[in-house]
Amino acid sequence: MLRDLIDLVLPADCPCGGPGPFCPACRAALAAAPRPAAPTPSPPGLPPCLAFGPYDGPLQQLLLAYKERGRRDLAAPLGDRLAAGVAGLLANGPAVLVPVPSTAAAIRARRGDHMERLARRAVGALRRDGRRATLLRALVARPRPDSAHLSAAERAAAARDAFRVRPGRTGPLRAGLAVVLVDDVLTTGSTLAAVANQLRSVDIPVCGAVVIAATRRRSSSDNRVSGPESPTLVGS
């Protein structure tokens, strides 16, 4: 709490090390138009997805600062961009935003559900633009292993049983509203596919998903991520 109060009074450095709480270079990176992103191969059930850029450089620094280093002030620009992605995905009409939930352990470690916070901001931004928008916490996350070092097949297996639908929370979705999943990063697509499939199992269709960034495909000589386990931005 003390760190949050200090951030409100004293301007923090930009996550990239530049000036301000949010430097012009990082602001420009986040302001890019959303584009279709898809992993190769795409897991069964993955809805169409939009991302604002690759998960490296400014976008990676912004997300890591927000998620892992307590920079809650970044929820405003990140949430506003999710709203822009939802508006780009849906030509018009009302939307229901379903954030991909965090596990209880992650919520405790980060002092809150980082995606629910962004989704609430996005709903507010959409409403300010005159669109009907609703946040629905339709799912709960079960404990699962850290996926950072898992292969695509291992991620898919872990994701299949990682979520369950909250009883009694899906009634508003049955009114024909457009359901959009929101998450921070698209990697193999296993998480978004698992969430979408859980909703479909209770007769709730998902029209698409919006993320801040998508991991870039790497060559086999790169030591980080290689081959078809990473998504690409279409047209990049």
Side-chain angles (χ1 to χ4, degrees):
M1 290 179 64
L2 177 60
R3 181 170 55 188
D4 292 340
L5 290 173
I6 292 173
D7 285 343
L8 289 174
V9 177
L10 300 176
D13 290 336
C14 185
C16 72
F22 195 31
C23 78
C26 286
R27 191 179 300 276
L30 196 57
R35 290 183 292 172
T40 304
S42 182
L46 179 68
C49 186
L50 295 181
F52 292 91
Y55 184 60
D56 56 25
L59 292 183
Q60 183 180 45
Q61 292 300 317
L62 290 169
L63 285 172
L64 288 176
Y66 169 63
K67 289 173 58 177
E68 311 299 345
R69 298 197 288 273
R71 286 289 303 271
R72 292 195 180 189
D73 58 302
L74 297 175
L78 291 171
D80 289 348
R81 294 314 290 156
L82 284 179
V86 173
L89 187 69
L90 305 176
N92 49 51
V96 174
L97 273 61
V98 177
V100 173
S102 298
T103 63
I107 291 172
R108 288 193 299 270
R110 294 171 180 153
R111 295 184 298 158
D113 189 321
H114 72 288
M115 281 313 306
E116 181 181 344
R117 192 181 301 119
L118 293 189
R120 288 188 184 281
R121 173 74 186 199
V123 166
L126 289 167
R127 289 175 175 173
R128 287 192 297 273
D129 287 340
R131 300 180 66 113
R132 286 179 56 197
T134 304
L135 170 70
L136 191 66
R137 297 172 61 243
L139 302 115
V140 63
R142 296 187 172 108
R144 60 184 184 273
D146 184 359
S147 62
H149 303 291
L150 299 182
S151 68
E154 291 168 336
R155 283 174 181 259
R160 276 193 291 270
D161 297 321
F163 306 98
R164 63 177 176 83
V165 177
R166 291 173 179 267
R169 292 293 185 95
T170 58
L173 297 181
R174 300 180 188 278
L177 303 179
V179 178
V180 180
L181 308 182
V182 291
D183 204 1
D184 49 5
V185 181
L186 173 67
T187 305
T188 64
S190 297
T191 296
L192 287 173
V195 169
N197 287 332
Q198 282 289 324
L199 292 175
R200 294 186 189 107
S201 72
V202 290
D203 299 323
I204 297 169
V206 175
C207 71
V210 178
V211 300
I212 297 296
T215 56
R216 190 195 297 272
R217 290 184 67 181
R218 310 292 181 183
S219 67
S220 58
S221 61
D222 191 301
N223 291 327
R224 288 171 290 178
V225 182
S226 62
E229 295 182 3
S230 313
T232 55
L233 295 174
V234 177
S236 62

